[in-house]
Amino acid sequence: EAGVVQSPRYKIIEKKQPVAFWCNPISGHNTLYWYLQNLGQGPELLIRYENEEAVDDSQLPKDRFSAERLKGVDSTLKIQPAELGDSAVYLCASSLGRGGHEQFFGPGTRLTVL
Amino acid sequence: GENVEQHPSTLSVQEGDSAVIKCTYSDSASNYFPWYKQELGKGPQLIIDIRSNVGEKKDQRIAVTLNKTAKHFSLHITETQPEDSAVYFCAASIGSGYALNFGKGTSLLVTP
């Protein structure tokens, strides 16, 4: 069974440009998470979806970040405009939800903002 | 969010020795404590987890212990091998929900 798929794996952009990341969770997983991982740090939650509903987005910088999960499957995380400090790895994870705590992570997208 | 503190930040052991990584958490409502292994260029991979109604769990060379009273939990790796070299993260659930707070990681190096 395929794991969590993310694309692109790497992205280099100039500041003030927009960027989008895509995630396809494990089939049947209702819960989807986006995390930010800075170099040398643990992942930090940005947003959590239960099916298509964003149930925890308190850590998402809403002035420049947005996310969507249409039809409760794939998800897209967008940054517009990107800033130098946004350079990091963006991780997507999924879990069964409804008592299934185990989160499975994708390989991440490494963003570099120049 | 609530803090999860992890120690040490780096750990170097010789092959065959044991490695112990310790974490503390502050949210008394946390009830799920996973450990992840992250290799370079990859996403974190779940290696073992424990729930608050269990004090200890073992899976081959890996074991985790939980002390809810003291709010700390530990990862024990026995008979370490070079392929155990990676960054290890502990995490605690935010309350009894599904979101996680992660520690800052421990870079483990196992030398032959």
Side-chain angles (χ1 to χ4, degrees), chain A residues 45-64:
Chain A
L45 181 68
L46 289 173
I47 190 169
R48 175 170 69 93
Y49 281 93
E50 291 289 343
N51 297 303
E52 65 273 10
E53 182 182 1
V55 295
D56 184 355
D57 63 354
S58 58
Q59 301 303 313
L60 190 71
K62 298 181 183 63
D63 57 335
R64 297 184 300 108

Side-chain angles (χ1 to χ4, degrees), chain A:
Chain A
E1 181 180 334
V4 176
V5 179
Q6 290 188 248
S7 70
R9 291 295 315 278
Y10 306 92
K11 189 73 175 179
I12 301 174
I13 61 171
E14 294 190 345
K15 63 181 180 182
K16 301 184 181 179
Q17 293 300 305
V19 64
F21 314 124
W22 175 81
C23 174
N24 178 245
I26 293 173
S27 177
H29 281 196
N30 298 320
T31 307
L32 184 146
Y33 313 76
W34 283 102
Y35 286 89
L36 165 70
Q37 186 174 27
N38 287 307
L39 189 63
Q41 303 291 317
E44 300 171 31
L45 181 68
L46 289 173
I47 190 169
R48 175 170 69 93
Y49 281 93
E50 291 289 343
N51 297 303
E52 65 273 10
E53 182 182 1
V55 295
D56 184 355
D57 63 354
S58 58
Q59 301 303 313
L60 190 71
K62 298 181 183 63
D63 57 335
R64 297 184 300 108
F65 286 66
S66 65
E68 61 182 9
R69 191 184 183 197
L70 299 176
K71 301 181 180 180
V73 182
D74 295 358
S75 178
T76 302
L77 178 68
K78 298 179 181 178
I79 308 175
Q80 182 172 9
E83 297 179 352
L84 295 176
D86 296 331
S87 295
V89 175
Y90 292 82
L91 294 164
C92 179
S94 69
S95 67
L96 280 171
R98 295 186 179 182
H101 277 91
E102 295 83 356
Q103 293 184 28
F104 298 88
F105 283 81
T109 296
R110 180 176 294 278
L111 174 67
T112 301
V113 182
L114 303 176

